[in-house]
Amino acid sequence: MTSVEPEGALESPVDGSIAGSKGKPLFLTRYEHPNAQYTVVLVHGTAGYSAAYHDFAEQFRRRFPATVWAFDLTGHGRTPGPRGDFTFDDLLEDVRAVADHAAERTGVPVVLHGASQGGEIAFHALARCPRVAGAVCMNILLNDELQMNRAIRLMRSPMMGRLARGLGDRVRVPLRRVIDFKAAYQEDPGLLPEKRIDPLNVWSYGFKSYHSVFNYKPHEPSAANTKPVLVACGENDEVVDPGHARACFERIGGPKDLFVMPGGGHQLMIFETDLYSRVLDSWIRERVLGRARSWTAPLDVEEQAYFDFLHRERRSEASGEPDYRYSWLDKLLTRIHNGTIERGVRYFAQAQVSPHWRFTEELVNKIDYVAWQFLRDYLPQSAGSERSRMAVVGCGSGTAIRGLREVQPEFRDWEIDGFDVDYKAIRAARRSFADVASVQFHVGDIRDRNILPSNEFDVVYMHGILDHCGEHRAVLANVYRALKPGGRLFYVAPDRNLYTWLSFVTIGPLFVSGLYKSTHDFRRFVRPTELSRLLEDLGYRSLRSHGASRSPAIAGLEYTTKLNPFAAGRAFHERNLSDFTIVLTKAPSLLGGGYMGEYVGVAEKPVAGQGEW
């Protein structure tokens, strides 16, 4: 990989225009690279325009020796003319015009990259663009050969053809009624509202224009293609079924490759920018420039560990935890509505690009601070001259560790190891703590025995692990093995009851936080009595609460807003934590002896010969 050393070595993007179909001026932005080895022409998708991929284009040309051209198709963005009015032939001619000009101006191979509906445009444009060397289709439909659903088959019917000719573009198709844009941008709940108020997005197409998208008849079938094609899609794309993308890939002729992003959604360029751009550059270099006979996506060990975690959770998605006793109410609530571990992990993986998630991270950190008001009294005694060591499991990007080092000054003298399956968060944490030798970060699934070292830690702290991870027995068994004799497990977990189902699974995420779907699997919530039994079974020793002769060292963490969705909703909308006041509760609530929300607790790995309490 070749990178640009000084960031200032590249000139700012240049806006301009170029004559497209029927001679109309297409708005164009050029991201130039002085030593470009190839040019990527970005073709945007339905409703959008080129600026949606500004961050991707800028990062791509700064990491790789490539020039990127992005333009607005006819009827879209800043290209003049009636908005939402076009023919599919217009769009193909637009691509041809831009690609030809890019080839003439840059003098290097040109590769098309189509996103969403742009993937269909990019593939069909190959036949019209003799100067284009290949295409990347981030989703593809092949409407003429494989109709993805009944709605598309209906649009291809003779009746719809007659309506299109009769109605023209006077009748508008409201795109938000026919496309699930929430699913397309589910990784960042705050992004779609921003797009809705952006006047350059097009939210309705003329009926005849939209009809042309699904009724384009290519001169040759897809099997006649001879140029390199990469079909890319997200494994969890809920807009274009990955199975459909695979079926299209099988029909395409010529040199071709398929990349299915594990855990990915619909917008890989936006939400998986780092890895996806590396995949794109690798494929262009090997298959287009190098004419290699095969290609393998460049995934490293840490990335693969994250993807393996997602697959592992997906395999266990149908079952709960065998150590817990689910009541009839638990089963009923789960049947009414539930989320998945995988969706929650994918949501938290967007910490670096989503303001909505960064606010959530601040909220989680606030819970940490309150939890440590309780936990600081249970820190084990120092074992002489040896430095104390703590593992923070599920550390994310390290903000919680930084906060703990600020509120608990003694931790500045500890060795701290952060563990998380999210490779993006760990890489951000390493950058943030590059000058702190006593804090190290590791990617891995702690259910694997080779991740946590044995008998090394005085404290293991877990917050957000049990509710975002299955196989709790394996988690806690490995933590037990990792603790020194006399070491202590500190944990924060949500109770399993009607309140937490409403707050964390249904009302809270869907109507307060504004998420697309729930990010929690209710069956992973654990009642304090269940967790205590499981810990005891694994060899842990319970600790008594300070000031209480026989009470276990457990306290509730409750929001003072209780079930007031207005205060919580206002907090998320304004990104203001003042409405989220969290208090420690000593006595259990009336919910079957449980807690109104999360609870914090302590357990110890006993020293040999040590008795109960």
Side-chain angles (χ1 to χ4, degrees):
M1 181 187 80
T2 303
S3 298
V4 176
E5 290 297 333
E7 193 165 310
L10 296 180
E11 296 180 357
S12 299
V14 178
D15 292 340
S17 64
I18 182 176
S21 59
K22 301 183 178 68
K24 72 176 69 65
L26 305 174
F27 182 87
L28 171 70
T29 301
R30 302 194 315 271
Y31 301 80
E32 303 285 2
H33 191 296
N35 302 309
Q37 297 175 7
Y38 59 88
T39 296
V40 176
V41 173
L42 300 182
V43 184
H44 65 77
T46 300
Y49 64 105
S50 59
Y53 305 115
H54 167 76
D55 291 345
F56 177 87
E58 191 62 73
Q59 177 174 317
F60 194 86
R61 67 151 176 172
R62 291 189 179 276
R63 290 187 63 193
F64 310 109
T67 287
V68 180
W69 284 27
F71 72 101
D72 297 346
L73 292 161
T74 293
H76 295 78
R78 289 159 290 187
T79 288
R83 300 171 60 75
D85 291 1
F86 54 84
T87 68
F88 198 78
D89 269 302
D90 288 339
L91 307 184
L92 296 178
E93 281 301 301
D94 290 346
V95 174
R96 184 199 58 75
V98 174
D100 282 353
H101 190 58
E104 292 172 4
R105 182 183 178 93
T106 65
V108 294
V110 173
V111 177
L112 303 178
H113 182 286
S116 191
Q117 180 63 51
E120 180 89 339
I121 299 169
F123 177 75
H124 290 303
L126 277 177
R128 301 193 181 198
C129 301
R131 305 183 70 172
V132 167
V136 178
C137 305
M138 195 188 79
N139 284 307
I140 190 170
L141 297 178
L142 294 186
N143 291 310
D144 187 58
E145 300 181 34
L146 288 171
Q147 290 80 53
M148 186 173 65
N149 52 42
R150 284 187 292 181
I152 293 177
R153 290 195 291 272
L154 177 62
M155 283 293 282
R156 292 178 57 84
S157 67
M159 176 188 69
M160 288 295 179
R162 290 191 292 271
L163 283 174
R165 289 189 294 272
L167 298 174
D169 286 328
R170 295 188 300 276
V171 173
R172 312 299 292 181
V173 178
L175 296 176
R176 283 180 284 183
R177 295 291 183 89
V178 296
I179 297 175
D180 190 349
F181 286 102
K182 283 188 175 181
Y185 297 99
Q186 61 182 282
E187 290 90 340
D188 183 358
L191 186 55
L192 183 57
E194 293 178 8
K195 287 185 170 294
R196 286 175 174 169
I197 62 175
D198 184 344
L200 292 178
N201 283 303
V202 183
W203 296 111
S204 71
Y205 281 171
F207 185 81
K208 185 178 180 181
S209 296
Y210 202 40
H211 180 267
S212 74
V213 170
F214 302 104
N215 287 271
Y216 173 70
K217 182 70 176 177
H219 296 300
E220 295 182 324
S222 59
N225 173 66
T226 59
K227 295 181 180 179
V229 173
L230 172 64
V231 174
C233 63
E235 186 179 39
N236 293 309
D237 191 332
E238 297 183 40
V239 178
V240 177
D241 183 359
H244 181 79
R246 289 178 182 273
C248 291
F249 170 78
E250 295 298 331
R251 285 184 171 251
I252 293 173
K256 61 182 181 180
D257 296 279
L258 175 68
F259 174 68
V260 181
M261 175 75 181
H266 186 65
Q267 296 285 357
L268 302 181
M269 297 170 71
I270 295 175
F271 299 116
E272 304 293 346
T273 305
D274 184 71
L275 191 153
Y276 183 68
S277 61
R278 180 154 39 88
V279 166
L280 181 58
D281 173 75
S282 168
W283 182 81
I284 293 173
R285 286 172 172 279
E286 295 182 31
R287 291 287 266 162
V288 179
L289 305 186
R291 300 181 181 274
R293 301 187 65 178
S294 63
W295 170 80
T296 302
L299 306 181
D300 64 28
V301 173
E302 292 186 339
E303 292 161 350
Q304 193 60 55
Y306 171 71
F307 301 144
D308 290 344
F309 174 89
L310 296 181
H311 292 152
R312 183 171 180 172
E313 292 302 341
R314 196 176 304 117
R315 289 194 298 269
S316 61
E317 192 174 282
S319 61
E321 296 295 320
D323 292 292
Y324 304 156
R325 300 172 183 173
Y326 298 104
S327 68
W328 66 268
L329 180 59
D330 295 333
K331 296 175 182 177
L332 177 63
L333 295 177
T334 302
R335 184 177 292 273
I336 293 173
H337 185 84
N338 199 25
T340 66
I341 290 173
E342 182 185 10
R343 191 177 293 278
V345 173
R346 288 171 53 210
Y347 167 64
F348 277 86
Q350 301 308 318
Q352 309 311 309
V353 298
S354 166
H356 185 281
W357 192 94
R358 284 194 289 273
F359 172 77
T360 305
E361 186 180 44
E362 292 176 12
L363 175 59
V364 171
N365 293 342
K366 188 170 185 176
I367 298 171
D368 282 325
Y369 301 152
V370 177
W372 276 93
Q373 294 174 15
F374 174 82
L375 294 172
R376 63 164 63 105
D377 294 333
Y378 298 91
L379 285 170
Q381 296 297 315
S382 175
S385 60
E386 184 179 353
R387 291 187 75 177
S388 298
R389 190 176 180 190
M390 176 170 65
V392 178
V393 179
C395 64
S397 58
T399 55
I401 293 176
R402 188 174 297 282
L404 290 178
R405 282 166 54 88
E406 293 174 358
V407 300
Q408 297 287 128
E410 63 266 43
F411 285 151
R412 298 173 192 173
D413 298 322
W414 285 45
E415 292 183 2
I416 301 178
D417 291 80
F419 296 86
D420 207 297
V421 295
D422 181 0
Y423 65 92
K424 289 186 285 188
I426 290 294
R427 291 170 185 175
R430 287 170 180 160
R431 292 191 295 269
S432 178
F433 283 83
D435 58 344
V436 184
S438 61
V439 182
Q440 301 293 320
F441 294 93
H442 317 272
V443 173
D445 185 342
I446 64 167
R447 294 171 297 188
D448 298 334
R449 287 179 60 87
N450 63 330
I451 300 302
L452 292 175
S454 299
N455 299 308
E456 287 287 336
F457 299 104
D458 299 277
V459 170
V460 174
Y461 179 55
M462 301 193 317
H463 179 193
I465 293 301
L466 297 180
D467 50 319
H468 286 292
C469 182
E471 303 175 47
H472 290 182
R473 177 174 285 270
V475 170
L476 297 170
N478 280 346
V479 169
Y480 183 89
R481 184 175 53 82
L483 286 168
K484 299 174 182 177
R488 293 180 176 178
L489 164 65
F490 293 171
Y491 58 84
V492 176
D495 200 351
R496 189 175 73 252
N497 52 47
L498 177 62
Y499 176 85
T500 54
W501 180 77
L502 291 170
S503 299
F504 299 156
V505 182
T506 52
I507 302 297
L510 300 182
F511 301 103
V512 175
S513 303
L515 299 181
Y516 169 62
K517 289 184 179 178
S518 177
T519 58
H520 282 102
D521 182 347
F522 186 58
R523 296 166 301 177
R524 313 301 167 178
F525 293 9
V526 52
R527 293 187 174 126
T529 53
E530 293 174 331
L531 185 53
S532 296
R533 279 197 304 268
L534 178 55
L535 291 170
E536 181 180 354
D537 188 45
L538 290 170
Y540 288 89
R541 171 178 170 271
S542 298
L543 297 181
R544 68 168 62 92
S545 178
H546 292 312
S549 59
R550 302 296 297 175
S551 299
I554 300 176
L557 295 165
E558 297 182 6
Y559 298 108
T560 56
T561 54
K562 303 297 183 184
L563 276 174
N564 180 358
F566 300 104
R570 182 170 60 251
F572 271 93
H573 178 72
E574 298 176 356
R575 308 282 194 264
N576 187 333
L577 282 172
S578 60
D579 283 330
F580 277 110
T581 305
I582 304 165
V583 296
L584 290 166
T585 57
K586 295 182 179 180
S589 68
L590 299 177
L591 294 176
Y595 293 95
M596 294 276 286
E598 295 181 281
Y599 58 95
V600 54
V602 185
E604 184 178 71
K605 179 178 181 177
V607 177
Q610 193 176 42
E612 289 293 321
W613 281 352

